[in-house]
Amino acid sequence: PFVSFTWDEYLKGKDANPAPQACFKQAPVPPPNDFTLHSKLEALDPRNITSTCIATIVGLQGPRLRLRLDGSDNKNDFWRLVDSGDIKPIGWCEENGGMLQPPLGFRMNASSWPMFLLRTLNNAKIAPELAFKKEPPTPPENLFKVGMKLEAIDRKNPHLICPATIGGIRDNMIFISFDGWRGVFDYWCEFDSRDIFPVGWAASTGHYLQLPGNKGTSSTRGRKSSAASTVSQPPGATPSASASSPPVSPMTVESGDQSPAYDNE
Ligand code: MLZ
């Protein structure tokens, strides 16, 4: 199996087809991470996005922040880019006529929220305004094509970014298929998702890139595995279709020959 990974080596001899930068809602030059551990900021509650909450930075990797909502548990951490529109400096909510809210699953009685908020912000380490970078513009349209390579966040393991292939396109949605992994990690997302990056992004930002999986090395060796068989319906698609049934037109699905599965013995 792989011990180290470089895109150059990986794509050598294949139809190297990295998705162009213009496909992505990502800065052409990834922003620096000027945040520090344990600082506080305002963040939309991912489980209740109409709420702006206080969050603490509990981890950093490349231009990404691992956030925990104050008053919540440690089981619902989430990651945001330093140029995410979902994070703001402390004070932003109030300045814009809003009110900070307790996170979904607030550990205490709701009536203790005002005092909790006061105590939480008192003497807190506040993330500086300069650390927040401007959100990049949204590409005018879905420019992805089936078979293009990219790097994508594994939403089941959101600290991980992994080599992936576009396995399907439907309107504004794209299917992210992780190279060499069984289909359970794959997902549909909007083309302007902040969870996907051009090839080389991780290396250029110092973010760890997970190795492709070994799918196709032993029992499936020599067998052509088709991404089509793992493509499930995008949200909003015909509910009658099961996850494994062939996708309906006008969705395009890559053929078995372009499958991300490979032998790597
Ligand atoms: N070790 C875990 C994580 C796999 C992550 C896959 N990413 C596409 C597993 O094997 O389930």
Side-chain angles (χ1 to χ4, degrees), residues 50-83:
T50 54
S51 284
T52 305
C53 301
I54 299 290
T56 301
I57 299 172
V58 295
L60 305 104
Q61 201 188 160
R64 299 176 76 210
L65 308 171
R66 179 178 173 144
L67 300 175
R68 186 171 301 165
L69 298 181
D70 287 81
S72 177
D73 54 55
N74 58 6
K75 304 276 187 303
N76 290 287
D77 291 354
F78 56 102
W79 291 80
R80 289 294 176 265
L81 289 159
V82 299
D83 59 357

Side-chain angles (χ1 to χ4, degrees), residues 18-208:
Q21 162 70 36
C23 294
F24 296 90
K25 185 180 178 128
Q26 301 292 354
V29 178
N33 194 335
D34 297 329
F35 289 91
T36 52
L37 209 56
H38 309 309
S39 326
K40 293 192 193 295
L41 46 81
E42 295 181 2
L44 296 185
D45 184 344
R47 296 191 291 169
N48 184 22
I49 55 159
T50 54
S51 284
T52 305
C53 301
I54 299 290
T56 301
I57 299 172
V58 295
L60 305 104
Q61 201 188 160
R64 299 176 76 210
L65 308 171
R66 179 178 173 144
L67 300 175
R68 186 171 301 165
L69 298 181
D70 287 81
S72 177
D73 54 55
N74 58 6
K75 304 276 187 303
N76 290 287
D77 291 354
F78 56 102
W79 291 80
R80 289 294 176 265
L81 289 159
V82 299
D83 59 357
S84 166
D86 296 349
I87 57 170
K88 300 284 183 218
I90 298 285
W92 185 90
C93 186
E94 205 180 5
E95 278 157 33
N96 288 272
M99 247 168 73
L100 289 169
Q101 302 292 326
L104 199 83
F106 182 50
R107 283 186 278 102
M108 278 159 276
N109 196 300
S111 62
S112 52
W113 170 247
M115 191 52 79
F116 177 89
L117 187 59
L118 219 62
R119 290 215 177 113
T120 301
L121 292 177
N122 194 241
N123 296 319
K125 185 172 162 191
I126 304 294
E129 217 150 316
L130 278 170
F132 295 82
K133 311 298 180 197
K134 198 172 139 57
E135 192 176 57
T138 305
E141 55 178 324
N142 187 355
L143 299 171
F144 287 102
K145 299 277 175 279
V146 167
M148 283 179 170
K149 296 285 179 188
L150 70 164
E151 299 176 359
I153 290 174
D154 175 353
R155 288 182 171 176
K156 290 204 159 80
N157 304 280
H159 59 291
L160 292 176
I161 296 184
C162 319
T165 305
I166 302 291
I169 309 267
R170 187 178 169 148
D171 302 326
N172 281 345
M173 307 297 288
I174 57 175
F175 189 71
I176 305 299
S177 176
F178 287 103
D179 285 23
W181 292 95
R182 57 201 193 284
V184 292
F185 302 105
D186 300 352
Y187 57 87
W188 285 95
C189 67
E190 312 252 340
F191 75 89
D192 60 354
S193 167
R194 301 301 317 277
D195 289 352
I196 53 174
F197 309 92
V199 161
W201 186 90
S204 76
T205 61
H207 197 290
Y208 172 72

